[in-house]
């Protein structure tokens, strides 16, 4: 799943255009319809089916509350698992072992 932090041209124009083009091609190829074998939705094909739904959301950065939760989660995970990206946090300074 690609994500964009800000609603720039790529996220607001290019990607929706690409999604529409892909949706059209998938529809022409019959790849948006699916059938579950063993079920029966009553249409005579012996399967229960539906249609794939392709959706896109707003840019991630437009959801400030969500972004804050993501950043908070990353910080908490980093602190919980001790990962510091090479930064060492301790109280020892100047070689003092006390």
């Amino acid at each position: 799943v690609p994500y964009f932090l800000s609603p720039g041209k790529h996220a607001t124009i290019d990607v929706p255009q690409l999604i529409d083009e892909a949706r059209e091609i998938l529809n022409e190829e019959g790849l948006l319809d699916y059938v579950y074998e063993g079920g029966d939705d009553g249409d005579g094909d012996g399967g229960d089916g539906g249609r794939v739904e392709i959706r896109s959301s707003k840019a991630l950065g437009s959801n400030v509350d969500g972004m804050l939760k993501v950043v908070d989660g990353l910080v908490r995970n980093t602190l919980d698992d001790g990962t510091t990206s090479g930064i060492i946090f301790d109280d020892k300074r100047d070689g003092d072992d006390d």
Side-chain angles (χ1 to χ4, degrees), residues 83-89:
T83 304
T84 58
S85 301
I87 301 170
I88 300 171
F89 295 101

Side-chain angles (χ1 to χ4, degrees):
V1 173
Y3 62 91
F4 298 91
L5 294 178
S6 64
K9 178 184 178 285
H10 192 60
T12 60
I13 296 172
D14 299 338
V15 171
Q17 232 172 12
L18 289 168
I19 290 172
D20 288 342
E21 290 170 11
R23 186 182 289 122
E24 187 175 321
I25 292 168
L26 292 170
N27 188 47
E28 289 171 1
E29 298 291 326
L31 297 174
L32 292 179
D33 298 312
Y34 61 89
V35 175
Y36 289 117
E37 296 298 324
D40 189 2
D41 58 9
D43 65 2
D45 67 2
D48 191 14
R51 190 149 178 88
V52 173
E53 201 172 329
I54 300 173
R55 296 181 175 194
S56 64
S57 66
K58 293 180 180 178
L60 189 58
S62 65
N63 182 345
V64 175
D65 289 337
M67 285 296 295
L68 292 174
K69 287 178 185 175
V70 169
V71 171
D72 183 57
L74 289 170
V75 170
R76 288 178 189 276
N77 286 343
T78 299
L79 294 175
D80 288 347
D81 71 8
T83 304
T84 58
S85 301
I87 301 170
I88 300 171
F89 295 101
D90 68 31
D91 292 328
K92 298 177 184 175
R93 292 182 179 87
D94 298 325
D96 188 10
D97 292 331
D98 301 331

